[in-house]
Structures are given as C-alpha cells and as structure tokens.
Amino acid sequence: MTYIGIIITFVFINNFILTQFLGLCPFIGVSKNVDSAVGMGFAVTFVMSIASLTTWAIYRWLLVPLNLGFLQTITFILVIAALVQLVEMVIQKISPPLYKALGIYLPLITTNCAVLGIALIAVRSGYNALESFIAGFAAGLGFLLAIVLMSTLREKLDAEWVPRPFRGTPIAFITGGLMALAFMAFDKALLRNLIG
Amino acid sequence: MTILFAFLVVGLLGALLGVGLASAAKALAVTKDERLEQLEGALPGLNCGACGYAGCASYAEAVAGEETTLTLCSPGGPEAASELGRIMGVEVDVSGTKMVAQVHCRGGRDVSEYAFEYNGLEDCTALYLLYGGDKICKSSCLGLGTCIRVCPADAIGYDDEGRIWVDKDVCISCGKCIEICPTGVMKWIPYDADYIVACNNTEPAKLVRKYCKVGCIACKICEKKSPEGGFVVENDLSTIDYSITGDRSVAVEKCPPKCIIPVTVREIPEVPAEEPVPVAVAEPASGDGEPERDGDETS
C-alpha cells in the first residue's frame, strides 16, 4: 500500500511542477507542442527514476558510513550529471531510434532541479531503494502529466484571441498558475479517503 | 578530519566519474559516416523540407545511405546538387530551370467586390473554410498572409499596394506557399519570366467583370496583339507558355483589365507607408488621423 501512496503523492498531491514548483524551465520552455512535451516528459521520467535509485545508493553506502550527509547536494549534482551523460551514450549506441526521440532532451535535464529535488526528497523521507525508485518514477509521471496538460492548453491558446500584452510566455504563466490552483484540490485528505 | 574526508570524497568521486565517462565515450563511440558532415555542409541549411525530408541533416543522411537522388534540394539548386555529386563521386545532371512562386492575383479592397465581412482568425486556411473566402471571386488571393508565415526564407510580403508579392530573388523554390495556399493562386513561374497573368479566375467574363476590375476576362486580346508571346486563353483564363520567349509587351499594354503585369521586385515596405496627416490645429487628438496598424486585433 505504501507504494501506491508514494505514487499518488508524487503524481498528484506533491506534483513536482504544480505543487512544488520544481523543474519550471522545461515546463515553460518545452510545452509549446504536445509531441516535444511528451518526449521531454518521458526523458525526465527516465532520468528521475534512475537518478533517485543511484543517489540513494551513493547516500546509503558512501555518505552515511563516512558521516558526510551534508555533502548530499554537491555529490548528487555530480552523480546525476555524469549519469545522464552515460545514459545518453549508452542509448545512442544501443538504440538510435530511442536516442532520436529522447536524445535532444537528455542534456537539457542533466542539472534540472526536479531531478535533484527527487533525489534530495527521497533521501530526506528515509525511503529504501525500491521506494526511492518508485518515488522518482512517480515524480517523473507527475511531470509528464503536468507538461502534457500544459502543452495541450497552449496549443489551443495559439488559436485563441489573447490580449497583446499577454501573448506567449505571460499567458503560459497564467495558465500554469491556474493549473497549480486546480492541483490544490489534491491533498492529504484525498489520499486518506482513497486508500485509508 | 571531516573536511579532509569531504575533500577526498568529492574529489575522488569527480575523478572516478570523469575517467569512467571518458572511457565510456571511447568504448561506446558511434562511428559516423564522415561524408555526412561534408554533405550537410554542401546543403544550404535552411531546413525548409522541400526535398521531402525533415531537414538538411536527414536529407544528407538519406544521400549518404544512397536512398535517394541528389537533385531534390531546390534552394541549393544546381550548385548544391553538383557539390553533393562530387562528395558522393557521382555525375549529376543539373540541367533544368529554376522555378519560383508567385501570386497570380491583384485583387483587393479597392478593385474587388466582397461577399461578406470576415472577422475571424487571421489565416487564409481558416477564411477559406468559410464559403471559400470573403471575396466573391473564390480563386483569388485571400490576403491574410498564411504564405508569409510559412515561408522559410522571408521572401513573401505585402507590397506597396497591400497585395501579397514574392521576391523572386529571395525565393528558394521550396513550394511551401504553393502547398498551403487554399485557393491555389500561388503558382510556379520560371525565375526568368518577364510577365505573369495576375489572375486565377476561370469563370466567364460576364461574371468576372461584375466583381473584379483586374480579373482576366478572356478577351483574347493578348493572343491577338502578341501572337509571338505564347499567350494561351483556355478555360476563360489567359496563361503564358513560358517555353515561348517572344515579345509580350504589346499584349501587356492592350490588356483591358491590365492584369498582365511585369515580374519586377516590388517594394515591400517594412511598415505600411503612413502619410503624416497635416493637422492645422495642434490638438491632442491628432492620433485619430493615423490608422492604427493592429486596430482590428483589439476590436
């Protein structure tokens, strides 16, 4: 049951973009059309899943035994950046079609704060390895959900009449703000009602 | 002691990851066809898609894989084709004339009759969905500039009379405007064409006369006055056979609706020319005299 709880928490209640306001750069920058938003969303999900697992291992087996917990931020950045580079190379070698679909987005998220965020949050919540991985995966799905919703709205907005000062990014900010308000409906009480 | 450990851990971790990445880069290196870079360099890099591929890079890939012919790049023209042939070691036949797009209509507010007032999305395709456009003539230029926005080379704009016009020296022959134009008024002409019949209407003269002052009325005067000019009147519309290069100037002069026009570079003003309205009394409301450029958007 805790796994389902983690998934619901990170997809809806603590949605990384709309509740925690992490990873807003790609949320605004890559949400102009649905295709690239889906690509970006899956790339982020992928990176977040493996990053949270790797950083959990680093924290548990390197930093805790040496009593160096305060180094988590800097080591996580280092590890995530290197990991993404490595993953990019592996994908390019093994699966060129997947590289074409995800490849251009991967370098963009090496130092994305959403990826670092899930690593730090997973460590702070005292998750075990599997829980960290699931938290990372769920947070990525939450990102995917938010960015795809946003991109469909923005595609529709393109054909709508928008006052001149609000065209482009300003109306995107307003849209994002209204979506964040809507996501406030998902809270802890909802989780309790759902799974007891 | 903690500081030393912290220093060591971060330093070693960094060094390890660095070495790991470097060796991984070597082990996982993907061999690239070196001709690919040369081929990409030979293409114009406009990514217009005229060749049918997603961009110059994917066309270069297709050429390197010998999946396609070398003459598909119309912006690059014969130079690019022969360059591609040189890299691939193949002889390329580069004959053929360069074609450019041009609008075959000079209708507008002052010379054409309109059926209704359109107040929707500023886009020809949207307007065309509404009874084929707001002009009575259904094969005319709708004038909302969808071709301008689709043009990758910025070759299309409004000329000094407010009509859409293609600058043939900038046109890269990608054909995107021709593809997107809903009324089909954008058509291919040879680059060295001297005149065009600026009309696309194939309805009988009786009707055309009623709603357009510059529409072709198929009077055949061009055929008679310039028999060497290659004019062909068919389907109630005069067209020019550009393979015939005789003199066309007499027909141009005698054309009753004056719809045979020279293909010159028309002045495309950056901003619609606004005559400063001389105001006798300097009143604060002098701004009323100047038409606001995007007034229709705020209404």
Side-chain angles (χ1 to χ4, degrees), chain A residues 2 27 29 32 50 58 75 84 111 118 139 141 164 173 176 191:
Chain A
T2 54
F27 180 62
K32 286 208 183 74
I50 52 168
I58 294 275
T75 41
V84 175
T111 50
I118 189 61
L141 284 186
R164 170 150 291 195
F173 278 150
L191 179 66

Side-chain angles (χ1 to χ4, degrees), chain B residues 12-269:
Chain B
L12 281 177
L13 202 62
L16 261 175
L17 290 172
V19 172
L21 273 185
S23 50
K26 239 185 202 152
L28 297 170
V30 178
T31 43
K32 246 189 160 184
D33 193 341
E34 63 215 24
R35 288 178 308 184
L36 217 68
E37 233 167 80
Q38 292 179 349
L39 289 171
E40 261 192 84
L43 294 168
L46 290 158
N47 293 323
C48 68
C51 51
Y53 290 88
C56 293
S58 15
Y59 179 50
E61 244 170 70
V63 168
E66 290 175 13
E67 295 163 15
T68 183
T69 49
L70 304 180
T71 49
L72 294 180
C73 182
S74 48
E79 297 93 40
S82 53
E83 183 68 12
L84 292 182
R86 193 187 59 72
I87 297 164
M88 296 297 293
V90 202
E91 277 296 312
V92 188
D93 176 30
V94 291
S95 57
T97 45
K98 179 179 160 79
M99 301 293 273
V100 292
Q102 193 51 270
V103 187
H104 287 62
C105 175
R106 299 299 289 167
R109 288 274 160 200
D110 45 343
V111 291
S112 313
E113 294 294 323
Y114 283 68
F116 58 89
E117 200 64 43
Y118 176 70
N119 223 336
L121 197 64
E122 291 280 305
D123 184 90
C124 300
T125 316
L127 173 52
Y128 188 71
L129 290 174
L130 210 63
Y131 311 109
D134 53 356
K135 278 183 192 153
I136 295 178
C137 175
K138 297 306 177 197
S139 42
S140 62
C141 174
L142 300 178
L144 293 182
T146 298
C147 49
I148 298 176
R149 287 185 289 277
V150 84
C151 178
D154 271 343
I156 314 175
Y158 291 101
D159 62 12
D160 44 355
E161 291 169 42
R163 315 287 198 265
I164 290 181
W165 192 252
V166 181
D167 186 343
K168 66 172 183 178
D169 292 319
V170 186
C171 178
I172 57 168
S173 328
C174 69
K176 282 193 168 177
C177 49
I178 291 171
E179 207 173 290
I180 206 157
C181 180
T183 57
V185 75
M186 187 73 90
K187 291 191 277 198
W188 289 117
I189 56 166
Y191 174 78
D192 46 16
D194 46 357
Y195 295 101
I196 59 166
V197 180
C199 184
N200 189 36
N201 190 308
T202 51
E203 286 192 299
K206 227 171 29 180
L207 295 170
V208 176
R209 261 190 242 266
K210 274 186 194 157
Y211 52 64
C212 186
K213 287 183 193 151
V214 292
C216 174
I217 50 174
C219 57
K220 304 203 173 184
I221 286 177
C222 46
E223 271 185 354
K224 282 173 207 138
K225 294 290 174 186
S226 289
E228 310 284 292
F231 288 98
V232 186
V233 180
E234 240 175 28
N235 260 339
D236 287 302
L237 177 65
S238 171
T239 47
I240 301 175
D241 181 356
Y242 288 105
S243 60
I244 298 164
T245 52
D247 182 41
R248 297 191 242 267
S249 53
V250 185
V252 175
E253 214 169 285
K254 298 289 179 192
C255 175
K258 295 268 172 277
C259 68
I260 306 173
I261 55 167
V263 191
T264 45
V265 178
R266 280 163 188 271
E267 202 181 324
I268 299 179

Side-chain angles (χ1 to χ4, degrees), chain A residues 36-78:
Chain A
S36 53
V38 169
M40 186 72 190
F42 276 113
V44 168
T45 310
F46 182 65
V47 170
M48 275 174 134
S49 313
I50 52 168
S52 55
L53 190 63
T54 323
T55 49
W56 178 86
I58 294 275
Y59 184 76
R60 180 72 182 71
W61 290 324
L62 185 71
L63 297 184
V64 170
L66 292 171
N67 209 11
L68 290 173
F70 61 88
L71 280 181
Q72 48 177 285
T73 308
I74 192 165
T75 41
F76 287 2
I77 290 177
L78 202 63

Side-chain angles (χ1 to χ4, degrees), chain A residues 66 68 71 86 89 93 161 164, chain B residues 6 9 24-25 28-29 294 297:
Chain A
L66 292 171
L68 290 173
L71 280 181
L86 182 69
M89 281 186 250
K93 181 81 179 175
W161 180 82
R164 170 150 291 195
Chain B
V9 164
L28 297 170
D294 45 20
E297 285 171 332

